[in-house]
């Protein structure tokens, strides 16, 4: 993704706890994401712990409450805000609301999402519990480009872990989360390098 040598500016969208956002922020602060900066953190939930965490880090934040608003209207506000802050790459980090086609079109192949399953298995809510209840033996997480379908676009990378005899849905979620925090930084590194093409659904390193 070419920025002409300037830092790649991230717009992070979240709805809740914000641990993936914090993992990205720590990677930047600790030098694991060189030439990347967080331009703005947006939440659609006023009291999301993640937005408070962003304020505590003195990052630029904004809240656009989505409840009760038409998706297209709400997303138009997000697009204007992200553009106003010169965002190059949008990172969904536990943003629990479908994006409108207009939003996807505004940032073509420039929106990433992290999902706590090995897609295409277990899209949607409570993916870790879905995987545990299904009885799969391997679980994990996926970082992918976002298209107009839920948890669907081209996959950038996945990290897999075995499900242990001793696991319950909670312990499995916690172990997947450890992988998520590594995966998001790795995926941003790959996208920031620009050293890839997307062929159909396939992310292919050049
Ligand atoms: C993460 O497990 C993320 O993968 C998931 O929400 C959680 C947010 O945690 N996202 C989805 O399920 C998207 N379909 P966080 O707020 O601590 O990053």
């Amino acid at each position: 993704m070419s920025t002409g040598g300037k830092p790649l500016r991230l717009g992070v969208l979240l709805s809740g706890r914000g641990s993936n956002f914090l993992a990205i922020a720590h990677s930047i602060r600790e030098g694991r994401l060189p030439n990347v900066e967080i331009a703005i953190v947006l939440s659609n939930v006023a009291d999301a712990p993640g937005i408070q965490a962003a304020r505590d880090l003195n990052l630029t934040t904004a809240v656009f409450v989505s409840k009760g608003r038409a998706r297209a209207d709400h997303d138009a506000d997000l697009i204007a805000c992200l553009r106003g802050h010169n965002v190059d790459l949008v990172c969904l980090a536990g943003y629990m609301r479908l994006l409108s086609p207009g939003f996807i079109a505004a940032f073509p192949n420039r929106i990433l999402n992290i999902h706590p399953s090995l897609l295409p298995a277990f899209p949607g809510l409570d993916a870790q519990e879905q995987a545990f209840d299904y009885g799969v033996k391997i679980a994990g997480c996926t970082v992918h480009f976002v298209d107009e379908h839920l948890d669907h676009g081209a996959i950038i990378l996945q990290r897999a872990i075995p499900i242990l005899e001793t696991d319950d849905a909670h312990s499995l979620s916690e172990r997947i989360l450890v992988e998520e925090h590594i995966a998001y930084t790795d995926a941003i590194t790959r996208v920031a390098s620009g050293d890839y093409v997307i062929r159909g659904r396939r992310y292919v390193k050049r």
Side-chain angles (χ1 to χ4, degrees):
M1 185 166 239
S2 175
T3 54
K6 287 188 287 182
L8 182 78
R9 289 174 62 77
L10 305 183
V12 180
L13 269 60
L14 55 79
S15 304
R17 178 177 58 182
S19 75
N20 276 290
F21 145 64
L22 281 171
I24 295 167
H26 291 149
S27 287
I28 291 172
R29 292 205 169 187
E30 289 159 17
R32 289 191 301 276
L33 281 172
N35 216 25
V36 175
E37 63 190 22
I38 294 177
I40 186 155
V41 182
L42 295 179
S43 174
N44 66 323
V45 176
D47 58 356
I51 205 74
Q52 187 55 48
R55 289 186 195 116
D56 292 345
L57 290 176
N58 291 320
L59 292 168
T60 304
T61 63
V63 173
F64 292 93
V65 174
S66 57
K67 201 166 181 192
R69 292 196 69 199
R71 196 179 308 282
D73 293 346
H74 175 254
D75 283 7
D77 287 345
L78 296 185
I79 294 166
C81 183
L82 291 164
R83 285 192 172 141
H85 288 83
N86 299 314
V87 163
D88 300 305
L89 183 67
V90 177
C91 295
L92 307 186
Y95 184 70
M96 303 310 263
R97 185 172 157 96
L98 263 183
L99 294 171
S100 60
F103 191 108
I104 311 288
F107 297 95
N109 286 332
R110 289 193 290 137
I111 311 170
L112 308 186
N113 182 42
I114 188 153
H115 184 72
S117 78
L118 296 173
L119 291 170
F122 313 121
L125 291 177
D126 301 322
Q128 308 95 325
E129 204 169 328
Q130 291 185 57
F132 183 79
D133 290 346
Y134 196 93
V136 296
K137 302 302 180 200
I138 306 282
C141 63
T142 304
V143 185
H144 63 92
F145 288 105
V146 172
D147 65 13
E148 54 280 6
H149 306 292
L150 178 68
D151 298 327
H152 181 265
I155 291 172
I156 300 162
L157 61 84
Q158 297 184 301
R159 291 179 66 88
I161 54 168
I163 294 183
L164 308 175
E165 292 293 331
T166 50
D167 267 332
D168 56 20
H170 178 73
S171 66
L172 178 62
S173 298
E174 287 195 330
R175 292 196 302 112
I176 292 173
L177 195 61
V178 172
E179 303 304 318
E180 291 186 46
H181 294 164
I182 300 167
Y184 222 147
T185 291
D186 283 357
I188 292 168
T189 301
R190 290 187 192 192
V191 172
S193 79
D195 205 11
Y196 64 92
V197 287
I198 302 173
R199 292 204 190 110
R201 284 198 46 85
R202 300 189 58 239
Y203 166 98
V204 181
K205 195 170 165 17
R206 276 200 289 226

